[in-house]
Amino acid sequence: EAQVTQNPRYLITVTGKKLTVTCSQNMNHEYMSWYRQDPGLGLRQIYYSMNVEVTDKGDVPEGYKVSRKEKRNFPLILESPSPNQTSLYFCASSLWKLAGGRETQYFGPGTRLLVL
Amino acid sequence: KQEVTQIPAALSVPEGENLVLNCSFTDSAIYNLQWFRQDPGKGLTSLLLIQSSQREQTSGRLNASLDKSSGRSTLYIAASQPGDSATYLCAVRGAYNAGNMLTFGGGTRLMVKP
């Protein structure tokens, strides 16, 4: 089954304790991305990757890191989490064409993070 | 900067009604527009994707239209059912911002009452 998986699904942590949220897709997609969703602000892109070893900042990258060592995995790293990073996080993937139009984005189930 | 707005923010209808959800965007230079459904505690499920060259897409009871020049899209749901209750999001992929693929609207929270 084609899917995007995220782990963990729920996480409670404390300020400053490093954490990693994993994301994996089995569709051989080039493009992967992280979003956060907050009430009143909608979904905002954190980082994206257009292929292995190619990553770039989205709209709200501060406080986050990513890596893309393998095509299927795109972990999100919070080196020193703060309460303002409490949010619902989504990973997404799709095929990638610079001048495309047919690339449906597939989303993972979300990770709900609470930073105390 | 692209901005996407969805109206109404919330909608409650009795079962069986046909309904229309609206999405507007400020920059008409887009590659495509996608409608998603989000259920509480779950991820986003893609419903329909309309390429910039298309006017509409249909899937079952859903029909999405796109008027790129006026910056509008509508999602039409025919014969609504309680199982349609969810938040519906529209998102556009801008033509010139290569990496930031999708800009989302705030969503319409739909409740269909039995």
Side-chain angles (χ1 to χ4, degrees):
Chain A
E1 178 189 357
Q3 61 182 350
V4 179
T5 57
Q6 295 178 228
N7 282 293
R9 294 289 315 279
Y10 304 92
L11 180 60
I12 301 174
T13 189
V14 295
T15 298
K17 185 177 181 181
K18 180 180 178 180
L19 66 92
T20 299
V21 183
T22 65
C23 173
S24 182
Q25 49 92 7
N26 62 1
M27 296 168 278
N28 202 35
H29 285 164
E30 297 89 0
Y31 185 93
M32 297 186 74
S33 178
W34 278 101
Y35 294 86
R36 61 178 289 175
Q37 185 177 32
D38 302 288
L41 296 174
L43 277 122
R44 295 175 294 168
Q45 191 182 52
I46 303 170
Y47 267 95
Y48 64 90
S49 169
M50 288 188 276
N51 216 322
V52 175
E53 301 293 1
V54 180
T55 64
D56 208 344
K57 298 176 181 179
D59 290 330
V60 288
E62 296 78 19
Y64 304 95
K65 285 175 56 178
V66 292
S67 69
R68 187 90 182 273
K69 294 185 171 57
E70 305 166 283
K71 197 172 187 180
R72 64 182 292 127
N73 297 323
F74 190 45
L76 179 69
I77 302 158
L78 285 71
E79 293 271 3
S80 183
S82 63
N84 65 12
Q85 293 179 298
T86 292
S87 187
L88 178 58
Y89 291 87
F90 289 103
C91 180
S93 75
S94 77
L95 294 171
W96 173 254
K97 294 181 182 179
L98 187 62
R102 295 179 174 82
E103 308 85 19
T104 298
Q105 283 222 7
Y106 296 86
F107 280 74
T111 294
R112 191 167 291 279
L113 172 65
L114 173 62
V115 183
L116 300 173
Chain B
K1 183 181 176 182
Q2 178 75 270
E3 292 182 3
V4 181
T5 304
Q6 290 186 246
I7 295 173
L11 182 62
S12 181
V13 299
E15 181 178 5
E17 274 204 7
N18 302 324
L19 55 99
V20 175
L21 308 182
N22 296 293
C23 172
S24 62
F25 47 95
T26 55
D27 187 345
S28 61
I30 65 170
Y31 277 133
N32 59 46
L33 182 145
Q34 199 165 348
W35 282 93
F36 293 90
R37 169 185 173 137
Q38 183 176 21
D39 294 283
K42 296 186 179 180
L44 281 69
T45 302
S46 179
L47 298 173
L48 291 164
L49 182 147
I50 311 177
Q51 298 171 55
S52 61
S53 58
Q54 297 178 315
R55 299 284 289 181
E56 65 177 318
Q57 279 284 334
T58 298
S59 176
R61 294 182 294 107
L62 305 179
N63 176 277
S65 68
L66 174 64
D67 185 340
K68 197 174 74 165
S69 60
S70 68
R72 295 177 189 275
S73 176
T74 61
L75 179 66
Y76 175 82
I77 303 177
S80 58
Q81 303 171 356
D84 295 331
S85 298
T87 296
Y88 291 81
L89 298 161
C90 74
V92 297
R93 181 184 168 189
Y96 301 122
N97 192 339
N100 193 351
M101 276 193 78
L102 294 179
T103 302
F104 281 85
T108 294
R109 191 168 60 252
L110 173 65
M111 177 171 291
V112 181
K113 299 177 181 178

